[in-house]
Amino acid sequence: MSTPIRLGTRRSALAQAQSGHVAAALEKFSGRRVELVPITSEGDTNRASLSEIGGQGIFATRLREALFAGECDFLVHSLKDLPTAVPEGLVIAATPKREDPRDVVLTRDGTPLHELRSGSTVGTGSPRRIAQVHRRAPKAEVVDIRGNVDSRLARVASGELDAVILAAAGLSRLGAETPLRREELGLAEWPTAPGQGSLAVETRADAPEELLAALAGLDDTDTRLAITVERAILQGLDAGCQAPMAAHAVVEGSSIRVRTVVYAADGGRRIGLDVTEDLNGEYIRRNGSGNGADAADGADPMHAARELGFTVARRLLDQGAAGLVSREQSS
């Protein structure tokens, strides 16, 4: 029997559910057993607000240390929590097909977010969501919360909070069942974090070719294109993954459409762009690669996607976005 492939994962229910989905897909593709290796990250033990502890890589650092130390063969991350700079010696080997990228509001009675009464409490620890709540529900009070999905849902069910905002993808991957009422927030009015709904499968650059090839089989080109644009915007803004900004890209035929917004922390101001660009989509779907494979004419679609993201970031900065976000060199 061949040696199992070891997948390093955080211990949270959501992380293990995400890793379980990837493990099952990899087993089917490779014919080898995948074994989950639970790892405790600082983000799992430090209960301070993400905005206070910075958020940058807090869930990824310990996992990557384990990967470098040989405790596991590859990792699965929530892409929206992953810093844009990939450490030397590591590679994002696959971005599986993206789940629903929207945010969801959960309440006891189904009251839409914008209709919440004065003094209603909305739980979220995301600076981006906080700014958006201030805009959508200015009479509501935002409560900075941490904790797993079940604990957040319980705080609404018990009456401690009137609403919480969660990622639709996380609820879907957990298969979370709750009597609470859901309000899906449309991306046009409520864009979400770069990479939301996407997973990053990461391994060492010097991993065995057999493993790299197996992981590459999980890659979805349209997803990789979209998140490449989104993360390049974040990197170009130099703002860090806890910045009050949103970016969502989607491949539409032979083009890619990008919606992005940068918010003031209190939601009072926002700067947004809605851009559609041709990225030679027919070639992208046939030959696109996250490993820099060149097109016949010498063009690299992923390079083009990064350049589009950087261009959008420059346009946002030209319009004053630097005054709305706290720029971080570590992004």
Side-chain angles (χ1 to χ4, degrees):
M1 180 181 294
S2 61
T3 303
I5 305 171
R6 299 165 302 163
L7 193 174
T9 176
R10 291 171 52 210
R11 295 177 180 272
S12 73
L14 177 55
Q16 299 228 7
Q18 291 175 166
S19 294
H21 289 306
V22 173
L26 183 59
E27 287 180 336
K28 183 177 181 180
F29 186 83
S30 69
R32 292 178 60 186
R33 185 165 65 89
V34 178
E35 175 183 275
L36 298 190
V37 179
I39 298 166
T40 300
S41 72
E42 182 184 354
D44 298 312
T45 58
N46 190 331
R47 307 317 300 167
S49 165
L50 287 180
S51 60
E52 292 177 5
I53 56 181
Q56 273 291 20
I58 190 169
F59 297 114
T61 301
R62 173 67 188 102
L63 295 174
R64 286 169 162 172
E65 290 172 351
L67 182 59
F68 277 124
E71 298 173 30
C72 55
D73 300 308
F74 74 104
L75 306 170
V76 173
H77 307 279
S78 291
L79 193 62
K80 69 182 179 67
D81 297 326
L82 203 60
T84 56
V86 178
E88 184 176 355
L90 298 183
V91 61
I92 295 179
T95 52
K97 186 174 178 61
R98 188 179 217 160
E99 283 266 4
D100 187 342
R102 295 176 297 176
D103 276 345
V104 176
V105 181
L106 295 111
T107 60
R108 290 183 299 281
D109 60 5
T111 301
L113 181 62
H114 69 278
E115 293 183 7
L116 288 177
R117 298 186 301 273
S118 179
S120 296
T121 51
V122 180
T124 178
S126 158
R128 185 254 316 163
R129 289 174 178 152
I130 291 171
Q132 289 174 315
V133 170
H134 286 320
R135 294 186 65 86
R136 178 73 69 92
K139 296 179 181 179
E141 175 188 345
V142 179
V143 178
D144 192 346
I145 61 171
R146 292 282 311 277
N148 61 35
V149 170
D150 286 343
S151 69
R152 297 185 191 206
L153 296 176
R155 293 176 71 172
V156 178
S158 69
E160 180 183 350
L161 296 172
D162 295 301
V164 291
I165 304 175
L166 299 171
L171 292 170
S172 174
R173 291 184 179 120
L174 274 173
E177 296 184 4
T178 175
L180 299 178
R181 306 286 292 276
R182 293 171 56 125
E183 177 192 2
E184 281 86 8
L185 299 171
L187 291 167
E189 302 81 21
W190 188 284
T192 50
Q196 182 156 316
S198 300
L199 300 177
V201 178
E202 187 174 53
T203 190
R204 291 171 55 143
D206 62 357
E209 286 298 323
E210 179 186 7
L211 177 59
L212 291 170
L215 295 177
L218 306 180
D219 198 54
D220 180 77
T221 302
D222 284 357
T223 296
R224 187 181 281 267
L225 269 169
I227 63 94
T228 296
V229 174
E230 295 165 15
R231 284 165 61 79
I233 295 170
L234 182 61
Q235 185 177 357
L237 290 174
D238 197 18
C241 58
Q242 285 297 308
M245 63 84 64
H248 180 69
V250 61
V251 175
E252 298 178 336
S254 62
S255 301
I256 187 163
R257 182 174 183 179
V258 188
R259 297 184 180 94
T260 182
V261 182
V262 178
Y263 300 91
D266 63 0
R269 291 182 58 210
R270 53 166 278 170
I271 297 171
L273 288 173
D274 189 337
V275 178
T276 300
E277 290 287 345
D278 183 8
L279 279 177
N280 196 6
E282 288 305 314
Y283 165 73
I284 289 167
R285 276 189 292 277
R286 289 199 310 272
N287 301 319
S289 167
N291 299 318
D294 291 343
D297 61 0
D300 175 1
M302 297 303 162
H303 176 75
R306 279 178 56 82
E307 288 303 307
L308 173 58
F310 289 143
T311 297
V312 170
R314 285 193 295 270
R315 290 179 60 183
L316 290 168
L317 292 171
D318 288 344
Q319 294 181 30
L324 302 185
V325 298
S326 175
R327 308 185 78 188
E328 295 182 6
Q329 294 301 322
S330 59
S331 66

